[in-house]
Amino acid sequence: MLDIQKIRADFPILSRTVNGKPLVYFDNGATSQKPQIVIDAISKYYQEINANIHRGVHTLSQLATDAYEISRGKIQNHINAKFAHEVIFTSGTTHGINLVTNGFASIVKPGDEVLVSALEHHSNIVPWQMLCEKTGATLKVIPMNENGELIMDEYDKLLSDKTKIVTVNHISNALGTVNPVKYMIDKAHEFGAAILIDGAQAVPHLKPDVQALDCDFYVFSGHKMCGPTGVGILYGKEAWLNKLPPYQGGGEMIKEVSFEKTTYADLPHKFEAGTPDIAGGIVLGTAVDYLNSVGFDNIQQQELELLEYATKRLLEIEGLKIYGTAKEKTSVVSFNIEGIHPYDIGTIVDKLGIAVRTGHHCAQPIMTFFDIPGTIRASFSFYNTKEEIDLMIEALKKAQMMLS
Ligand code: C6P
């Protein structure tokens, strides 16, 4: 069992007030809070070893390079990638997906198909649409049911020899559905299609094993897993990363440059043009260490309790409807209160110190499916408590009284 008060003490922001009330932070799906060890690691980098990496023979540059590569190794171990060079530092999930879609522009041909799920964040829809526009390929959508679960029979029917790549999130940001990604990966491979897993919402809650999953690509952002903003990871199988062309040209991604011809660096540098977010890359390793020290079994147990408690308490509110009731769900509850716009509720509960996200959560097709403008989304982390859920329930009841 986690000592939640001890864990909370690791996160300085959790003891602040907002609008005169203790902060209740339930917007972890948007970004997580950062433990002191991560905040300190950022300062330590700038105070002690700040230098550009992979470029200098001087001591600071060596120290920064070593720290950056050690962090890459930590992430390799964390996701169980076969090689460190399969771990590409990006600026986040969006960057990782765009890198892959850009590469697929040279693979996908007119008449080919790209399968995207109905549960995606815009980051995992729009780049694929752009790819299809560029190449003449067709975008097909794996539908979902009223519970917010992808319909696997329909997925099976959509797959064909025309399918070049499938893309799906591990966990939906808007509804919290945990998708059957292992099944989807194996099925895609039966048809010779590649598959990308958007792990942005999964990595705060679980430790993905990319070799056991056998996915071709797995992308995520550091900032949702206690790390800093501006850094993320694209995992790709070596063979795929060797096949894809570079995304951006510039320093660091070359072997030889002349005006006649340039040759590209080996992995991972081929995809890491320009000066990266060095501090971010190093500190992402610190965040991963921190999460592992808490333990993913503990994290999951605490978050499941919070999910069950919040679901039960929310349903006590008259006229409240929860969207996303999948059997496999993580600690996200999306809901509306009858007759009240989610934005109005969000604004009032904020005055009471409660941070929830309102709106379409960058997943408009899901809102269209349910025929709603948006939802109120409470997304919990392992450092949240049942007492905080009680405060949210009180605040929601007050908002409901004021607005109806
Ligand atoms: N979702 C949310 O509040 P970036 O912005 O690149 O770090 O992550 C984009 C992204 C991609 N896929 C999924 C499943 C996501 O949830 C997100 C980010 C945040 O739900 C901000 S919109």
Side-chain angles (χ1 to χ4, degrees), residues 29-30 93-94 121 123 173 198 200-201 221 223-224 357 362 377:
T93 307
T94 305
H121 184 280
S123 292
N173 70 315
D198 171 354
Q201 295 292 338
S221 303
H223 68 94
K224 295 188 200 287
R357 186 171 171 186
C362 302
R377 182 188 70 178

Side-chain angles (χ1 to χ4, degrees), residues 282-296:
I282 294 170
V283 176
L284 182 55
T286 313
V288 162
D289 284 345
Y290 176 77
L291 286 173
N292 281 312
S293 74
V294 176
F296 278 88

Side-chain angles (χ1 to χ4, degrees), residues 116-283:
V116 52
S117 103
L119 276 174
E120 297 312 305
H121 184 280
H122 297 165
S123 292
N124 204 22
I125 301 174
V126 183
W128 300 104
Q129 282 174 326
M130 289 159 70
L131 168 68
C132 289
E133 269 167 30
K134 220 187 281 178
T135 59
T138 306
L139 192 77
K140 297 243 163 148
V141 182
I142 309 157
M144 67 180 196
N145 64 22
E146 283 288 324
N147 298 328
E149 293 163 320
L150 295 176
I151 306 171
M152 285 302 105
D153 286 351
E154 297 297 328
Y155 173 55
D156 293 353
K157 282 187 220 151
L158 282 167
L159 280 165
S160 77
D161 296 341
K162 289 187 199 158
T163 314
K164 285 291 159 294
I165 185 159
V166 176
T167 188
V168 61
N169 57 46
H170 200 160
I171 294 181
S172 152
N173 70 315
L175 305 180
T177 311
V178 182
N179 287 313
V181 288
K182 181 60 187 152
Y183 175 86
M184 295 181 76
I185 291 163
D186 291 346
K187 271 280 161 187
H189 288 163
E190 276 176 31
F191 288 84
I195 180 159
L196 177 144
I197 308 296
D198 171 354
Q201 295 292 338
V203 287
H205 309 292
L206 55 86
K207 201 170 158 161
D209 181 333
V210 292
Q211 288 192 75
L213 284 171
D214 195 28
C215 53
D216 299 294
F217 303 99
Y218 196 99
V219 288
F220 56 96
S221 303
H223 68 94
K224 295 188 200 287
M225 56 183 312
C226 293
T229 52
V231 68
I233 296 294
L234 160 69
Y235 157 81
K237 278 186 187 161
E238 184 188 53
W240 269 114
L241 293 178
N242 278 329
K243 197 166 169 186
L244 296 188
Y247 179 42
Q248 290 182 320
E252 204 31 50
M253 51 75 73
I254 54 90
K255 254 187 197 137
E256 297 279 344
V257 177
S258 73
F259 285 111
E260 289 70 41
K261 184 170 170 57
T262 290
T263 51
Y264 304 127
D266 293 331
L267 297 173
H269 307 296
K270 175 180 152 189
F271 291 109
E272 294 183 348
T275 302
D277 179 353
I278 303 167
I282 294 170
V283 176

Side-chain angles (χ1 to χ4, degrees), residues 27-43:
D27 197 16
N28 295 287
T31 198
S32 71
Q33 294 304 346
K34 320 301 171 201
Q36 189 66 51
I37 197 171
V38 161
I39 299 167
D40 288 346
I42 297 170
S43 304

